[in-house]
Every structure is written in C-alpha cells, then in structure tokens.
Amino acid sequence: MRRHRTFILMFSVLSVYSLLGVYLAYCQIIRGPQLTAQAVDMRSQRIELQEWARGEILDRNLFPLTGSESSLAIYCLTSRLKPDGGSDECGKLASILAPILGRKEAELEQQLAQAREQNTGWVRLAQNLDEQQQARINSLNDPALITVPINKRYRDDGFCAHIIGYLGGGENPGGVSGIEKAYDELLRRDPPQAQLVAVHDARGAAISGLMYKIRREQQDEKSAVVLTIDSGVQTLAEEAMNRWVKKGAVVVMDIHSKEILAMASRPTFDPYRAVANREPDSPLMNRALSLYYPGSLFKILTTCAALEEGITDTGEEFTCSGKYLMPDGFSFSCLRKAGHGRLTMAQAFAVSCNPVFIELGSRLGRNRLIDYVAKMHLADVSITGYPGQTASEININPGLRALANASLGQQGIRLTPVQLCSLLATIADDGSWSPPRLLSCTVDSRGEKHYPQEATREQVISPQTARTVQSLLEKVVREGTGSSAAFPEAQVAGKTGTSQTGALKENEQEILDTWFGGYFPAQNPRWAIVVMVEEGESGAVSAAPAFKEIAQGMVNSLGTRTN
C-alpha cells in the first residue's frame, strides 16, 4: 500500500513537471519568447508557410479562390549547414538535391550560398514535391533539410485564372493581370499568416518533441477582395468549356443584380508559368473581355430599336428570296440560300433571316441604330470593381452596305461576351439596365468592409418592347435555330449567332466565331449566359450545348426560384 502511494506521488510530481514543460513550450510557440525568457532560455527558428504574403481573393460566399490548396515544399535551414564546410557545403548539397528536385545544380548552389550569406536562416528550394521526392529527401537524414506542407496561392488547373490573374517574379511580387493587378496595393502584406517554429534551448539544441510546430500569429492585416463570382457556377462553366470549348469564353450573370457569377476563358493557363507563356493560342488573353463580331446576337438590339421606334411589329410580313439586293447591285445572301419565302417578323427572328434584318436596319438608318447602341449601353465596357477594360468598337461607316453589315452584327460592330450578356440581362429584366458587377466588397487591413457605390438603374427601353423581345427569344429556342439549347427542367429563351472573321483556314474555308446567348427560366428570368466559341461550326452546334450543360447544372444545384 505504501509502495503504491509512493508510486502515485512520483507520478504526480512527474505529471506536474510534464505539464510545466508543455506550458513553457506553449508559451514559447503561441505567446512568444518574452513570456518564458525568465524561466527557460529558448530560441525559435521561424519559417513562413505560404508562397507569398498577400491578402485573399474570395468568392461571393467567402470561399477562397486563392490559397485553397496546399503542396509539399522542401526548406533548407541554412544555419544547420556545417559551419566548417564553407561554400563547398552548399555545392555538395546542391549536387545531391539537383537530380531529386529536377533543378540545375548551379542554380541551387547559388540559392543556398546567397541565403547563407544573407543569414536568412532558411530558404525554400522547391514545392509541389511528390511522395517519391519526399521519401528520397527524408532518406538523406540531413538535419538541414525539412519537408513541410505549404499553402499554395493558385490551383494548377487554371481555375478562375483569367479573373484572379497572376503575379510577377521575385520574393515579393506584384500583380501583373486580373484582380491581382487591379487590387495589388490592397492585397500586399508584410507579416506571414503561418510560420514553422523550431524551438531550441540556450545551447542551440532542439527541444525533444518540439522540433517543428506550426505557429499561427494573430494577423493585424486582414485585407481581402470579395468577388461576385460563385465558385459552384464557375466550376460548372469551366467544366462545360473543357468538354465543348477549345477556344472561347463563357459569362454567367444574375439578371436582376447584374452580378457576374462566372467568367471563364479558354485556353486557360498555369499562373505559375504565366510569365513565360507565349503560346500561339494566346492563353493569357481573357476572351470574355475581348472584342468579337457578335453576329446574329446583335439582331436583338436591331429588333429592340425597330420595335421601340414603331417601324415594325411582330406580325408584319416579309418576303425572303434568299438574298437582299442593294440599289448598287450588290447582294447580301440569307443563311438559307433558297430563301424563307413569306414569313412574319417573329418568324424571321426565330430563323435569323438576314434580309429581314437588313430591311429593318435600313428603315432605322445609321444614326438611329448608333443612338440605340448608346441608349442601351451596349458600347459601355464598365464593370463595377474591375477597371481598365478594352473599349468596344462601334464604327458604322456611312452607306447602305455598312449599315446592312452593322444590322447583322458584322463590320463596324465588335463587342465582348460580357457586353452581350449584359444586353440579354437587360432584355430579361424588362428593359432595366445597370452595369455588370464583379466586386462584392473589399476588406481593408483593419477588417473593415468597403462596398462599391450602388449602381444607378436605368430604364433603357420600355417594358412592353422588352417583353415582346422576350417572347421572340423564347420562340427561337422553341421553334427556331436555338432548339439545341433546350432542356426539360426549365424553359430557355435565347439566340444563336455565327459571325464571319475574315480569316481563312488552310483549306481556304472562312473561320467563324459562333455564339449562343440566352437566359432562364424564360417565364421568370433569373440568369443570363453567353457562350462564344472561336472557329466553331454554328451557334446551334458549337455554343448551345455548353449553354445547356451550364444551365442544367445551375437549375439542378440552385433551383429555379427567384432570389
């Protein structure tokens, strides 16, 4: 019994000392060395555990668009390199690591020597290590080398790359494109978010059990950029593009708030290799913000202007012979070479009959058509929270040929997919326009939120005209060229488009850009989507299937009720 009590007493004393040791270690790691300096002389080696000290970029639901993934990195604790080895020690280590890391030996040696000379204490040599590389490094049993998880800023698959942008070179790089560039000053940070801490005693020996601990410090800076992007919708858009769109763009917009929920461009790029990326297909180019001939999607504006001015109605009858003959003898052909015969204006819209829209354009005249481009803000490139967009190209030359081309969305008219998505959102919102929006808010270093100025809403066409065009867009999908965009879960309204580029393929065939723009549910509009496919066959074949896949995915995940 006495022996048992002695054992309990000894265990209690040991437990107290153990708890004291844990507490001292806790103080050292969590609360800093000052709290334990009187009790134990402890020193710590800190290593930052993120690629760059920058604020976060978040989606509308505060889901991180940056820093959402991690990879394995290798660090060298330069203070642990053998002191009597001199520069030869760096060379020896570089020769061992170069074949493992797939790096040049001379570069590694220079990096190690520079870190040692500057007395930084540590240097990150590589990241994205695989299990085999980690095993080979660990088998070296070198106390100067450690492998730890690191917080990556970007995804390797190029997700959201054109929106986020990328950074320049160096240890504290600045933004080169996208949100990284637009909000570079806000996103820059000095203190790290996380550190690796090695705790040592007064003699420099690591304390057993506390070799490497992650230390997270309270951040004074909490800067962030919150976008209107919805990660789920962005994923649907990018996955659909991977299947259907080799080169092109997708834009998804909330019809009432005009917030951009997704914006994607193909081909995409790896933000880690963007600086050196100069491929022929221009992957760094954000095609959602680039200028294209809109083709038949521009007929939506021509129709709005003609109806608003009262120069036609949906029941007016026309005759299509397969071409439109100009006074000078030049003719514009219809998509249907044999012609459509007698058809109403509503039927002409559904089958995208070129001669009818040339006739409407000639009735409007050049000046009135340009006026409606301005009135409906189709030439407005502003995106709330995303400055510096390329100006649109609205340059309709005098003359009937130029006016005919413009009425069909060809020569003289070049717009971005974002502008065309804004046009569809305006129609679906009964003629109410406000600028597209990409920024939800910013968060400054003190954690305070700042919201962009509320955009002014403007009634650019009458609700009656907008609803008439809505019924025409429904007819396109129900009976006309847009039937391949239809799906059973929701009724779709939309328009196909095929635009000539003037460029030729190797077989002398002209390269076409193809479009589908629409919104859904048609009877209670909630979302607008524009899909543009470079070098496509037609809007119905090349663009509509991507629209359908994205729209179906949104209905299945978000439902069809309005906000």
Side-chain angles (χ1 to χ4, degrees):
M1 187 70 175
R2 184 178 301 170
R3 186 176 300 174
H4 180 64
R5 289 176 180 172
T6 302
F7 176 80
I8 292 176
L9 179 61
M10 290 175 62
F11 179 81
S12 300
V13 172
L14 289 171
S15 298
V16 169
Y17 276 103
S18 298
L19 289 172
L20 179 60
V22 170
Y23 171 75
L24 292 175
Y26 169 84
C27 292
Q28 176 66 19
I29 296 170
I30 303 300
R31 304 183 64 185
Q34 291 183 347
L35 297 179
T36 58
Q38 296 178 355
V40 181
D41 184 7
M42 302 174 73
R43 305 168 187 176
S44 63
Q45 175 78 47
R46 304 174 185 177
I47 296 179
E48 187 181 334
L49 284 182
Q50 61 178 153
E51 287 177 306
W52 297 291
R54 284 181 76 80
E56 294 180 278
I57 300 174
L58 310 171
D59 84 340
R60 65 190 298 110
N61 300 309
L62 305 184
F63 180 85
L65 298 174
T66 54
S68 61
E69 295 188 353
S70 63
S71 71
L72 201 61
I74 175 175
Y75 287 87
C76 176
L77 305 179
T78 53
S79 58
R80 291 193 176 189
L81 291 173
K82 295 179 182 178
D84 56 348
S87 59
D88 290 344
E89 185 68 19
C90 295
K92 291 177 183 177
L93 189 57
S95 66
I96 296 172
L97 290 176
I100 299 176
L101 302 179
R103 292 191 56 187
K104 294 181 180 179
E105 185 177 329
E107 289 180 357
L108 270 175
E109 182 177 359
Q110 183 180 2
Q111 189 178 5
L112 287 166
Q114 185 176 5
R116 188 173 190 176
E117 181 181 345
Q118 294 176 352
N119 198 27
T120 58
W122 56 271
V123 60
R124 185 167 68 229
L125 301 178
Q127 60 192 70
N128 291 329
L129 302 179
D130 56 34
E131 293 181 0
Q132 186 177 8
Q133 288 173 308
Q134 182 187 24
R136 291 176 66 184
I137 292 168
N138 291 343
S139 67
L140 299 175
N141 292 319
D142 191 324
L145 300 177
I146 57 172
T147 56
V148 293
I150 185 172
N151 190 25
K152 294 181 62 176
R153 186 157 184 84
Y154 304 121
R155 283 171 49 167
D156 294 323
D157 60 1
F159 178 79
C160 231
H162 292 91
I163 300 174
I164 297 170
Y166 63 96
L167 302 175
E171 293 186 2
N172 189 23
V176 176
S177 71
I179 296 297
E180 294 280 30
K181 179 181 179 180
Y183 294 92
D184 185 59
E185 186 176 347
L186 175 73
L187 292 170
R188 283 181 180 269
R189 281 182 180 173
D190 290 328
Q193 285 187 313
Q195 299 170 333
L196 195 71
V197 180
V199 183
H200 304 265
D201 61 20
R203 295 169 298 176
I207 298 177
S208 178
L210 294 175
M211 280 289 291
Y212 302 110
K213 299 287 184 180
I214 291 179
R215 169 178 175 167
R216 296 192 178 275
E217 293 187 337
Q218 182 67 32
Q219 293 295 301
D220 294 326
E221 293 191 76
K222 302 174 182 177
S223 57
V225 177
V226 183
L227 303 179
T228 61
I229 295 296
D230 185 305
S231 294
V233 178
Q234 183 75 22
T235 298
L236 288 172
E238 300 220 18
E239 288 179 347
M241 293 192 80
N242 290 340
R243 276 185 280 274
W244 297 100
V245 184
K246 183 179 179 180
K247 286 198 293 184
V250 165
V251 179
V252 183
M253 190 179 295
D254 184 290
I255 284 169
H256 302 294
S257 68
K258 309 302 189 289
E259 292 176 330
I260 297 174
L261 304 181
M263 182 168 66
S265 179
R266 286 294 181 276
T268 189
F269 64 92
D270 181 351
Y272 292 105
R273 297 173 176 82
V275 176
N277 202 325
R278 296 292 182 268
E279 294 180 15
D281 286 337
S282 304
L284 298 183
M285 171 183 172
N286 187 348
R287 286 166 164 81
L289 302 175
S290 300
L291 297 175
Y292 296 89
Y293 295 117
S296 293
L297 261 64
F298 188 77
K299 293 174 182 175
I300 298 172
L301 182 131
T302 304
T303 302
C304 287
L307 291 171
E308 192 84 339
E309 290 294 307
I311 63 174
T312 190
D313 58 60
T314 57
E316 181 182 0
E317 288 192 344
F318 297 83
T319 300
C320 170
S321 64
K323 61 183 179 180
Y324 187 95
L325 188 63
M326 306 295 292
D328 61 0
F330 184 86
S331 64
F332 287 85
S333 61
C334 184
L335 297 174
R336 186 175 181 180
K337 293 182 179 180
H340 293 101
R342 297 284 294 177
L343 75 173
T344 65
M345 185 267 174
Q347 291 170 329
F349 190 94
V351 296
S352 204
C353 178
N354 282 345
V356 171
F357 284 92
I358 294 174
E359 172 63 23
L360 295 179
S362 67
R363 292 183 189 179
L364 281 167
R366 173 175 175 268
N367 291 335
R368 275 200 292 189
L369 187 61
I370 293 174
D371 287 344
Y372 270 89
V373 168
K375 182 180 180 180
M376 297 188 69
H377 293 273
L378 195 55
D380 193 334
V381 297
S382 61
I383 299 176
T384 302
Y386 202 48
Q389 302 312 308
T390 303
S392 58
E393 184 183 286
I394 308 296
N395 184 23
I396 305 174
N397 293 326
L400 293 178
R401 286 196 197 182
L403 180 58
N405 268 314
S407 301
L408 303 178
Q410 287 292 155
Q411 187 177 0
I413 305 290
R414 291 210 304 159
L415 301 166
T416 71
V418 169
Q419 289 172 304
L420 290 164
C421 197
S422 176
L423 172 64
L424 282 157
T426 299
I427 300 299
D429 201 14
D430 291 342
S432 177
W433 174 89
S434 60
R437 180 175 170 180
L438 187 61
L439 177 70
S440 178
C441 69
T442 59
V443 183
D444 64 23
S445 59
R446 298 180 300 275
E448 296 179 0
K449 294 181 179 180
H450 301 272
Y451 296 90
Q453 184 177 359
E454 193 67 29
T456 303
R457 297 180 70 87
E458 184 180 343
Q459 193 72 35
V460 295
I461 56 172
S462 68
Q464 180 181 356
T465 295
R467 288 166 191 155
T468 301
V469 178
Q470 289 171 17
S471 66
L472 295 176
L473 290 166
E474 291 175 35
K475 190 178 182 68
V476 170
V477 178
R478 189 173 59 249
E479 303 173 13
T481 60
S483 58
S484 54
F487 59 96
E489 291 88 344
Q491 188 176 347
V492 173
K495 185 82 179 73
T496 57
T498 301
S499 56
Q500 297 172 300
T501 65
L504 299 178
K505 301 178 183 178
E506 292 181 358
N507 60 5
E508 299 300 314
Q509 285 187 331
E510 186 173 19
I511 296 174
L512 304 174
D513 292 333
T514 57
W515 301 82
F516 187 88
Y519 60 85
F520 62 100
Q523 299 303 318
N524 198 4
R526 186 173 177 184
W527 301 293
I529 302 176
V530 163
V531 178
M532 186 279 297
V533 182
E534 290 186 19
E535 301 178 27
E537 181 179 337
S538 68
V541 173
S542 305
F547 173 97
K548 176 180 177 179
E549 182 174 322
I550 298 166
Q552 260 187 314
M554 291 179 67
V555 168
N556 291 334
S557 60
L558 301 176
T560 58
R561 292 179 297 175
T562 56
N563 291 331

